[in-house]
Amino acid sequence: MKHTEQGISYSPREARIKNKEDSFAKQKVTFDDTPLFFPEGFEKIFLAIYFITLPYIAGLLFLFFYVADGKKELFLALNDDSSFFLTWAIGYEIIAGLIILWIIKRAISFSYGNHQRNKKKVFRRP
């Protein structure tokens, strides 16, 4: 997919480099940045699939490893009592927490990278 601006066409990579902002919060986020996870034309379908399945799987893993201590019999008994929505909500909270931590890490590394770029290199004679 080509991006055009004032009659000039850019590849997706060139467009991202051209749109690079000075602030972390002002960066543009598009589905073009992740073509493996969001194939072109099916972005909304894959987003819905990920929104339903990933939190549910994370909730199941949490229930199996943390609550049931990895015991199959206890997990199966627990899984009969818990609903889909409860398991999904547990996984949603886990994934939301991980995403928030990842965003904070990216913001810190972004500001650190900008600080290093703006820092002048002083030439010293050996």
Side-chain angles (χ1 to χ4, degrees), residues 5 10 24 31-32 45-47 72 77 88 90 102 114:
E5 185 176 311
Y10 298 99
F24 181 77
F31 288 125
D32 294 336
I45 294 170
F46 275 85
L47 189 61
K72 181 181 169 186
W88 182 88
I90 291 169
W102 179 68
N114 275 350

Side-chain angles (χ1 to χ4, degrees), residues 25-38:
K26 291 182 181 178
Q27 290 181 347
K28 293 183 181 183
V29 179
T30 63
F31 288 125
D32 294 336
D33 297 338
T34 56
L36 180 64
F37 298 118
F38 298 104

Side-chain angles (χ1 to χ4, degrees), residues 73-118:
E73 298 80 23
L74 184 58
F75 172 71
L76 291 176
L78 180 67
N79 200 23
D80 289 339
D81 294 337
S82 65
S83 67
F84 171 82
F85 183 72
L86 178 66
T87 305
W88 182 88
I90 291 169
Y92 179 81
E93 290 298 323
I94 292 169
I95 289 178
L98 291 174
I99 288 173
I100 288 172
L101 289 173
W102 179 68
I103 289 171
I104 291 170
K105 182 218 172 256
R106 294 272 317 251
I108 290 170
S109 64
F110 182 85
S111 64
Y112 181 72
N114 275 350
H115 177 69
Q116 291 296 334
R117 259 187 267 136
N118 294 336

Side-chain angles (χ1 to χ4, degrees), residues 42-75:
F42 299 104
E43 293 94 353
K44 293 180 182 177
I45 294 170
F46 275 85
L47 189 61
I49 290 170
Y50 295 150
F51 184 74
I52 293 170
T53 59
L54 291 179
Y56 184 71
I57 291 170
L60 285 176
L61 290 173
F62 175 79
L63 290 174
F64 181 72
F65 288 113
Y66 189 75
V67 177
D69 290 327
K71 297 175 183 156
K72 181 181 169 186
E73 298 80 23
L74 184 58
F75 172 71

Side-chain angles (χ1 to χ4, degrees), residues 2-11 14:
K2 296 278 186 180
H3 299 276
T4 60
E5 185 176 311
Q6 298 175 358
I8 303 170
S9 67
Y10 298 99
S11 69
E14 291 171 337

Side-chain angles (χ1 to χ4, degrees), residues 13 48 75 119:
R13 184 176 188 285
F75 172 71
K119 193 172 154 181

